[in-house]
Amino acid sequence: MTNSAVTTAFAKAAAQNRAALVGYLPAGFPDKDTGIKAALAMARAGADVIEVGLPYSDPLMDGPVIADAVYRSLKGGTRVKDVLDTVAAISSAGTAALVMTYWNPVDHYGVAAFARDLASAGGSGLITPDLTPEESGDWPRVSDEYHLDRVYLVAPSSPQARIAAITRLCRGFVYAASLMGITGTRDSVSASAVGLVARTREYTTLPVAVGLGVSTPEQAHEVAAFADGVIVGSAFVRRLAAAPTPQDGVAAVRELTEALAVGVRRG
Amino acid sequence: MTSPPARPPAEPDIAPVPDRAGHFGEFGGLFAPESLMAALEQLAKEYEAARHDPRFRAELDELLRDYASRPTRVTEAKRFGAEHAGGCRVLLKREDLAHTGSHKINNVLGQVLLTKRMGKARVIAETGAGQHGVATATACALLGLECAVYMGEEDTRRQALNVSRMRMLGAEVISVTAGTRTLKDAMNEAFRDWVTTVDYTHYCIGSVGGPHPFPMMVRDFQRIIGVEAREQVLSLTGRLPDAVVACVGGGSNAIGVFHAFIPDGGVRLVGCEAGGDGDAPGRNAATLTYGSTGVLHGMRTYVLQDDEGQTLDTHSISAGLDYPGVGPEHSWLKDTGRAEYRSVSDTEAMEGFAALCRTEGIIPAIESAHALAGAMRVGRELGPDGLILVNLSGRGDKDVATASAWFGV
């Protein structure tokens, strides 16, 4: 099987002695076109992988910044098709795109149908924050069939046995939640992240990327010293939300990406 | 109609459903962020150990008896049956007489004892009508635990009495302004708190929903309602009821009263959902009537959702039933055909509310009034030979403002 775009992106970053920069944006925020423009700006400014958030009515793992953005996106009428269009725009520009989604929208769409449509949009796979390996059902088989990545999360509280089971199922990379909590910017990177990445590496050779609470170039630099990837979400969304015009929002996303792309360099 | 001879209450093995991972057939299970998995595994383990620990059982039984006033009585509602339920004999299981005014205390005492056993110092809860919040605040005051209750802003307004009660009991009440500002959003916010504070906090879920082991554990703590009632009905009437009727939001009082009767094939189990003011999407909370299978709040179950799996807004005059999901065991009971679920509109529920007030001198919670309205219908179907047990899950003091506005009194 050929490597996914995500695997290639992590390998390229490693070869350049830096961590991969993974940026998150919810589809359809502040509107579909601006969301796509922001994602493309992110890609051009140095993001290696883009997580496209599928807006969901009950985002349990998200703090106020992302929860408000997806609420507004849904109120604006965003549908799965808009998410897939966003993915298609990013992947046709040559950047790896994953969909970050709570499980119910995929479950409701039909796992096989979702995988088929995601693959045909050029998407690399799914990040699934509320799906456990135990409840994954057809997803492992179907994602094999469509050569899609499966990104599950490990947490500071995960016992070794769970890390082993989760990493066995992951493909593309492993998402290490830096802290016990929800999405949102924090003043400092949690000390638990280093230990979690080290514990995860005992079970897998997949890249390990750290997310939750990472928002500044300094924090990105700190994380790049021990992880293969740095995931930033709320900091981008906050800039888009705060911008007076869509153009300003896209520019703000570009600037932050450029700064973070410097931050993820090692040494 | 022949009456079977009186026999001791059924005490079926409570293990056949769910399976070890919390599945009731295809429903239930465990869809949760990885950050919570260790805590959920710990909870399942501690609960299993506590369940078999005679000291835990003894401590819980003592609290249920001496503090919560169990067993609650069964009262025959003679005038209500004669005038409003087709002449059918109607018995009320009086959970409204339990301490704090509803069945919620049964589950809370169990979970708060477990919290102490796990060495955690803080309890959080979600609440709709405020009954679960009040029960949690009460148990935390009794056992010296810190307590925070999440409640939708809309519900803090319509259940203001319970907000005051919780604060008086020393709990922090956090008003949730996200989404529809009701029970679902309170639950989202409680989960967010729990992900962050799980080291020292127990999330005391008030219904038979959420990720495993909650649906099973809350069911086990609530099944005392049906165990008592089955024996009481037998000794009072010499036979089993034709139907057991309860309201269903998340479904804890209904599971509580149904469970001991599940093996009794001749007993109809009737759940009454909030039909709101119509069958249009967003105008009711009748999940089992209008919903479809999905994943919400950590469980696979029936969900009120749109064509893309987004949770629908709900409406009910009753804050406690205003929820777009339902406990997975109810989904299982529906699909297996063992229980039947009916939608009861706001108007019908308020008719049941008024009927009980005026014929029996009991002001029911508006949640429980849905069961009374259901019993009025079932009673007319059964006629004068029928025998119905209604779970009167709570009292209506908290609802006097809503009811006064409804009736214009």
Side-chain angles (χ1 to χ4, degrees):
Chain A
M1 189 168 124
T2 54
N3 282 338
S4 78
V6 168
T7 305
T8 308
F10 273 90
K12 181 179 140 201
Q16 295 172 349
N17 192 31
R18 62 181 180 85
L21 177 60
V22 181
Y24 164 94
L25 286 173
F29 181 77
D31 58 72
K32 183 176 176 179
D33 278 355
T34 307
I36 291 174
K37 283 185 184 129
L40 293 176
M42 205 184 242
R44 272 185 235 111
D48 299 283
V49 174
I50 294 177
E51 288 178 22
V52 178
L54 192 157
Y56 175 54
S57 52
D58 294 276
L60 285 185
M61 281 291 286
D62 288 304
V65 171
I66 291 176
D68 288 351
V70 301
Y71 181 77
R72 285 166 59 185
S73 172
L74 285 173
K75 285 285 166 200
T78 300
R79 293 180 60 86
V80 171
K81 169 153 195 324
D82 303 307
V83 177
L84 296 174
D85 289 348
T86 304
V87 166
I90 298 164
S91 64
S92 2
T95 298
L98 290 157
V99 169
M100 161 78 110
T101 182
Y102 292 89
W103 194 241
N104 196 48
V106 176
D107 191 76
H108 200 77
Y109 197 93
V111 176
F114 197 98
R116 177 198 65 211
D117 292 354
L118 178 62
S120 78
S124 293
L126 291 181
I127 303 173
T128 50
D130 65 348
L131 187 67
T132 56
E134 296 88 336
E135 295 287 354
S136 291
D138 288 342
W139 171 233
R141 183 182 56 75
V142 168
S143 50
D144 281 348
E145 187 182 331
Y146 288 97
H147 309 298
L148 293 169
D149 288 329
R150 295 184 293 261
V151 179
Y152 291 83
L153 279 70
V154 292
S157 57
S158 302
Q160 300 299 94
R162 289 199 61 82
I163 294 180
I166 291 164
T167 52
R168 259 200 308 278
L169 215 48
C170 280
R171 186 163 54 215
F173 69 95
V174 181
Y175 190 130
S178 73
L179 48 80
M180 299 296 286
I182 52 180
T183 60
T185 57
R186 308 286 198 286
D187 291 338
S188 60
V189 176
S190 164
S192 52
V194 186
L196 176 59
V197 170
R199 289 200 295 134
T200 305
R201 291 200 199 283
E202 290 173 31
Y203 298 95
T204 183
T205 54
L206 284 172
V208 182
V210 170
L212 289 195
V214 186
S215 61
T216 67
E218 294 72 27
Q219 290 170 339
H221 192 68
E222 198 185 323
V223 170
F226 62 86
D228 305 299
V230 176
I231 305 169
V232 178
S234 295
F236 286 116
V237 179
R238 199 166 58 181
R239 275 164 179 73
L240 265 184
T245 69
Q247 293 87 326
D248 291 328
V250 172
V253 165
R254 182 185 306 115
E255 279 165 30
L256 178 60
T257 311
E258 284 165 354
L260 288 166
V262 175
V264 295
R265 291 181 198 150
R266 298 197 182 101
Chain B
M1 194 174 293
T2 55
S3 302
R7 51 196 166 100
E11 273 294 351
D13 183 354
I14 56 182
V17 288
D19 70 12
R20 285 176 55 83
H23 297 102
F24 299 86
E26 67 170 299
F27 300 107
L30 210 176
F31 295 82
E34 177 59 24
S35 311
L36 292 179
M37 290 300 292
L40 289 165
E41 284 178 0
Q42 181 204 10
L43 179 62
K45 228 168 98 183
E46 283 289 348
Y47 171 61
E48 193 54 28
R51 204 157 81 78
H52 295 104
D53 178 350
R55 277 175 312 173
F56 180 86
R57 277 298 345 167
E59 199 176 354
L60 180 55
D61 288 346
E62 186 185 320
L63 281 174
L64 288 170
R65 185 185 67 233
D66 299 340
Y67 189 68
S69 305
R70 301 209 71 87
T72 58
R73 312 299 294 232
V74 164
T75 303
E76 178 154 11
K78 287 186 183 144
R79 286 191 59 208
F80 177 84
E83 295 174 29
H84 295 283
C88 181
R89 197 171 179 193
V90 176
L91 304 177
L92 305 175
K93 176 61 173 167
R94 299 294 303 279
E95 292 300 298
D96 61 317
L97 296 180
H99 180 46
T100 70
S102 82
H103 71 289
K104 292 293 189 187
I105 193 77
N106 305 332
N107 164 47
V108 164
L109 288 172
Q111 286 202 49
V112 168
L113 284 182
L114 261 184
T115 305
K116 291 212 89 154
R117 195 182 161 100
M118 290 187 290
K120 292 184 171 182
R122 179 173 179 261
V123 174
I124 56 171
E126 85 294 339
T127 199
Q131 296 297 79
H132 175 59
V134 167
T136 307
T138 298
C140 286
L142 179 70
L143 294 167
L145 296 166
E146 190 189 335
C147 179
V149 180
Y150 288 90
M151 190 168 187
E153 191 188 42
E154 162 76 5
D155 294 339
T156 61
R157 186 189 55 71
R158 55 180 167 170
Q159 308 280 220
L161 172 71
N162 277 344
V163 174
S164 302
R165 291 170 78 197
M166 286 184 267
R167 292 198 168 129
M168 241 163 263
L169 291 160
E172 181 191 3
V173 180
I174 301 153
S175 173
V176 178
T177 55
T180 55
R181 308 177 178 208
T182 58
L183 182 54
K184 164 185 88 106
D185 309 292
M187 203 158 176
N188 288 345
E189 216 49 46
F191 269 112
R192 290 182 181 121
D193 180 318
W194 201 31
V195 170
T196 312
T197 62
V198 65
D199 275 356
Y200 57 93
T201 299
H202 174 64
Y203 179 13
C204 181
I205 292 184
S207 198
V208 283
H212 179 69
F214 284 103
M216 172 186 77
M217 179 175 72
V218 177
R219 185 270 315 272
D220 293 350
F221 287 141
Q222 291 292 3
R223 68 186 296 279
I224 190 167
I225 303 171
V227 170
E228 287 174 5
R230 192 175 180 282
E231 190 173 22
Q232 289 165 319
V233 173
L234 281 172
S235 71
L236 197 67
T237 68
R239 71 173 184 107
L240 290 170
D242 298 303
V244 178
V245 184
C247 65
V248 180
S252 71
N253 91 83
I255 283 291
V257 74
F258 287 173
H259 198 263
F261 291 95
I262 290 176
D264 302 315
V267 179
R268 282 167 63 190
L269 306 176
V270 183
C272 300
E273 299 194 291
D277 56 21
D279 58 6
R283 295 316 307 165
N284 62 74
T287 307
L288 291 163
T289 307
Y290 300 114
S292 56
T293 303
V295 174
L296 178 68
H297 289 151
M299 56 183 162
R300 181 177 296 284
T301 191
Y302 277 81
V303 178
L304 288 167
Q305 55 189 332
D306 72 8
D307 65 330
E308 294 222 313
Q310 306 289 348
T311 311
L312 288 170
D313 290 351
T314 53
H315 163 77
S316 168
I317 190 168
S318 133
L321 305 184
D322 204 349
Y323 180 66
V326 66
E329 192 164 2
H330 284 293
S331 295
W332 180 78
L333 286 169
K334 173 191 160 76
D335 278 14
T336 56
R338 180 62 191 93
E340 55 193 85
Y341 296 88
R342 299 176 167 204
S343 172
V344 170
S345 70
D346 288 351
T347 304
E348 290 173 287
M350 294 314 286
E351 284 166 14
F353 180 95
L356 196 74
C357 289
R358 288 169 201 173
T359 56
E360 300 295 336
I362 298 170
I363 301 178
I366 296 179
E367 290 75 22
S368 319
H370 286 71
L372 293 163
M376 284 158 61
R377 266 197 256 164
V378 174
R380 288 182 207 119
E381 290 160 21
L382 291 173
D385 291 336
L387 176 64
I388 299 178
L389 173 70
V390 180
N391 195 27
L392 191 63
S393 56
R395 68 176 188 228
D397 309 42
K398 68 188 179 59
D399 293 318
V400 291
T402 305
S404 299
W406 179 274
F407 295 115
V409 295

